[in-house]
Amino acid sequence: MTSLYAGTSGFAYPNWKGGFYPTKFAARRMLPYYAERLNGVELNGTFYQLPPVTTLASWAAQVDKDFRFCCKASRGLTYSAAAFDKEGLAATLGERLGALGDKLGPTLVQWPPGRLRDEQLLERLLAAFSRPAAVEFRHESWFCAPVYDCLRRHGAALCRTDAEEWPLAPVTETGEFAYVRLRRSYERPALERWRRELRALAAGGSVVHVYFKHDPEGPERARFMLE
């Protein structure tokens, strides 16, 4: 089993042409080209609108068996008002993503900075979703034992996001995989420190997912992690 999946948040960026992609390159060829060089991607677009099953199946057919798609869960799960049917959306999302088959990685569930701890809602969403999830909290109130226990019950990972805007979650094992988002402009010493940490996680038996921002330098940073 692959122990480290690394990539970027998205892959279809025109400003990557002349760098990661050749200068003249058709958009339809981007995913296969990307997947030959990196083995995972975090899809941003699914946060706003879930693609049709036919599109998901087409993406899965363009990559090899060791590639993983990590989709952002629909924003309605955590950004919508109390009356919104969040559990129904979670169940629909879990079913729809099944079109990716064995190439589906953990789904990232993001909570907004202003949403304080609510482990009852977290419990209901993870139960309704019923697929492996990584959960990103942007408020420190979530970093506590009851939340970690909830994640463990569902085999979900506590996402660690290295960004200026939000607190970095502590290293806490809650599932059989780890999920890390690196959102800064990293020089080589910082990348080496993160690579050592990821190696330690993998050596401990975790499958590790790490995704960089969609900067033009992002793919090269992800490839460095895979070396």
Side-chain angles (χ1 to χ4, degrees):
M1 178 183 292
T2 301
S3 59
L4 175 63
Y5 295 93
T8 56
S9 295
F11 62 88
Y13 298 108
N15 66 331
W16 286 8
K17 293 181 181 181
F20 180 66
Y21 294 122
T23 301
K24 294 183 178 180
F25 204 67
R28 60 181 173 79
R29 297 175 58 195
M30 286 182 173
L31 177 57
Y33 185 96
Y34 175 101
E36 289 175 357
R37 291 153 179 82
L38 299 168
N39 63 357
V41 66
E42 182 185 83
L43 296 175
N44 286 317
T46 53
F47 182 73
Y48 303 100
Q49 182 176 3
L50 192 61
V53 168
T54 52
T55 299
L56 294 170
S58 173
W59 287 345
Q62 295 179 57
V63 301
D64 69 25
K65 61 182 179 62
D66 294 323
F67 189 89
R68 294 293 179 270
F69 293 93
C70 294
C71 304
K72 282 189 181 181
S74 303
R75 59 182 171 178
L77 294 182
T78 54
Y79 281 73
S80 58
F84 186 80
D85 183 12
K86 300 178 180 64
E87 291 146 274
L89 177 60
T92 299
L93 175 65
E95 181 179 0
R96 179 79 64 89
L97 291 179
L100 288 168
D102 293 340
K103 296 161 187 174
L104 175 64
T107 298
L108 178 67
V109 181
Q110 285 184 332
W111 295 75
R115 186 63 60 90
L116 305 185
R117 174 166 57 99
D118 184 347
E119 55 261 39
Q120 288 77 25
L121 175 58
L122 176 64
E123 183 87 48
R124 296 198 304 270
L125 289 182
L126 292 177
F129 183 55
S130 68
R131 290 191 183 276
V135 188
E136 181 186 79
F137 302 116
R138 296 180 174 180
H139 193 279
E140 291 181 342
S141 64
W142 292 89
F143 301 149
C144 63
V147 171
Y148 303 154
D149 290 342
C150 178
L151 295 177
R152 290 188 183 100
R153 284 193 292 274
H154 297 278
L158 175 64
C159 175
R160 301 191 74 222
T161 299
D162 183 34
E164 294 181 4
E165 304 94 327
W166 309 297
L168 177 65
V171 177
T172 306
E173 292 187 15
T174 58
E176 296 182 355
F177 63 93
Y179 200 101
V180 179
R181 307 183 75 228
L182 301 180
R183 319 305 290 172
R184 301 177 189 261
S185 296
Y186 298 93
E187 300 298 332
R188 183 57 63 93
L191 287 175
E192 289 175 344
R193 287 195 298 273
W194 274 108
R195 186 163 68 172
R196 287 194 295 270
E197 181 171 328
L198 298 177
R199 281 177 173 169
L201 288 170
S206 295
V207 174
V208 181
H209 291 263
V210 56
Y211 297 104
F212 289 85
K213 283 184 69 173
H214 54 277
D215 297 333
E217 300 81 12
E220 188 58 36
R221 291 169 181 153
R223 290 174 72 177
F224 177 75
M225 292 295 167
L226 290 170
E227 289 177 0

